[in-house]
């Protein structure tokens, strides 16, 4: 056993030093990194989903919370879907809509005739968190197969996943479109979300 100023040298230490010297001659110059590149997480994506809501003439009762001036000349149209699911691209449920109600009101306020459609629903992020600036939804009014007007929202009120949130939107449309409309197509748009 060899002796040096730091104490006895063991055989495995000699072998280790020899291997390091040999590796130094064969190792290429330059920086070698064994850290993997950072990869962005793959976000789940909601598919575009469509549902048709049939509109029919209705009574003006039960609309007090909308604040519309409803006299005998007012015209009301209503339609409803009880449940509506938006799936992810992998087939799992990503978002739930409940009690989608469409209410159309044509009435006079301060001497001006107007026609508006209210779109109301509750929405639930089913283990998915929406981005801060979401894509919202679109809707289209039809008379039979003929498109009349397009409606669009900028985002949904859905601040957290796994909770039901009420949403309400209003769109003003031309009087002729209101008179002819007999259905509305509700379109939940595609959107990248985060899994919870």
């Amino acid at each position: 056993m060899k002796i040096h100023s730091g104490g006895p040298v063991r055989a495995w230490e000699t072998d280790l030093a020899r291997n390091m010297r040999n590796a130094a001659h064969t190792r290429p110059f330059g920086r070698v990194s064994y850290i993997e590149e950072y990869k962005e997480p793959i976000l789940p994506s909601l598919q575009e989903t469509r549902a048709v809501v049939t509109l029919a003439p209705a009574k003006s009762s039960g609309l007090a919370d909308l604040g519309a001036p409803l006299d005998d000349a007012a015209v009301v149209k209503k339609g409803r879907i009880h449940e509506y699911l938006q799936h992810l691209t992998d087939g799992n449920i990503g978002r739930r809509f409940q009690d989608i109600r469409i209410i159309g009101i044509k009435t006079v306020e301060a001497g001006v005739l107007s026609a508006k459609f209210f779109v109301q629903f509750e929405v639930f992020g089913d283990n998915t968190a929406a981005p801060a600036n979401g894509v919202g939804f679109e809707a289209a009014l039809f008379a039979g197969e003929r498109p009349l007007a397009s409606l669009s929202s900028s985002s949904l009120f859905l601040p957290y996943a796994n909770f039901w949130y009420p949403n309400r939107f209003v769109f003003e449309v031309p009087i002729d479109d209101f008179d002819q409309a007999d259905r509305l197509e509700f379109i939940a748009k595609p959107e990248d979300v985060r899994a919870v």
Side-chain angles (χ1 to χ4, degrees), residues 6-165:
V9 176
R10 296 174 183 83
W12 66 267
E13 291 177 321
T14 305
D15 292 340
L16 178 62
R18 186 182 311 113
N19 288 337
M20 290 177 68
R21 276 196 310 275
N22 292 340
H25 293 295
T26 58
R27 179 179 293 173
F29 290 104
R31 184 176 178 181
V32 177
S33 174
Y34 297 98
I35 300 174
E36 291 185 13
E37 290 184 14
Y38 173 75
K39 295 179 181 177
E40 288 287 334
I42 297 173
L43 297 176
S45 184
L46 293 165
Q47 292 181 320
E48 181 178 296
T49 312
R50 296 170 178 250
V52 174
V53 183
T54 301
L55 301 174
K59 296 179 180 179
S60 60
S61 57
L63 303 180
D65 65 325
L66 297 181
L70 299 171
D71 55 20
D72 293 339
V75 177
V76 176
K77 293 183 178 183
K78 293 181 183 179
R80 184 176 185 178
I81 295 177
H82 292 288
E83 188 177 40
Y84 172 63
L85 305 177
Q86 187 177 15
H87 289 86
L88 297 165
T89 51
D90 64 6
N92 291 321
I93 297 170
R95 193 171 285 169
R96 297 173 187 265
F97 294 84
Q98 180 176 278
D99 198 23
I100 298 177
R101 292 188 296 154
I102 311 301
I103 302 167
I105 301 174
K106 181 174 71 172
T107 189
V108 175
E109 183 181 38
V112 176
L113 180 64
S114 68
K116 298 179 182 180
F117 278 97
F118 292 83
V119 179
Q120 302 179 140
F121 53 82
E122 290 189 5
V123 62
F124 180 88
D126 201 319
N127 292 320
T128 60
N133 297 313
V135 298
F137 71 92
E138 291 182 354
L141 284 174
F142 286 84
E145 295 302 314
R146 184 166 57 88
L148 298 172
S150 294
L151 318 173
S152 181
S153 77
S154 58
S155 63
L156 302 178
F157 180 70
L158 187 58
Y160 296 104
N162 295 314
F163 196 84
W164 286 103
Y165 292 97

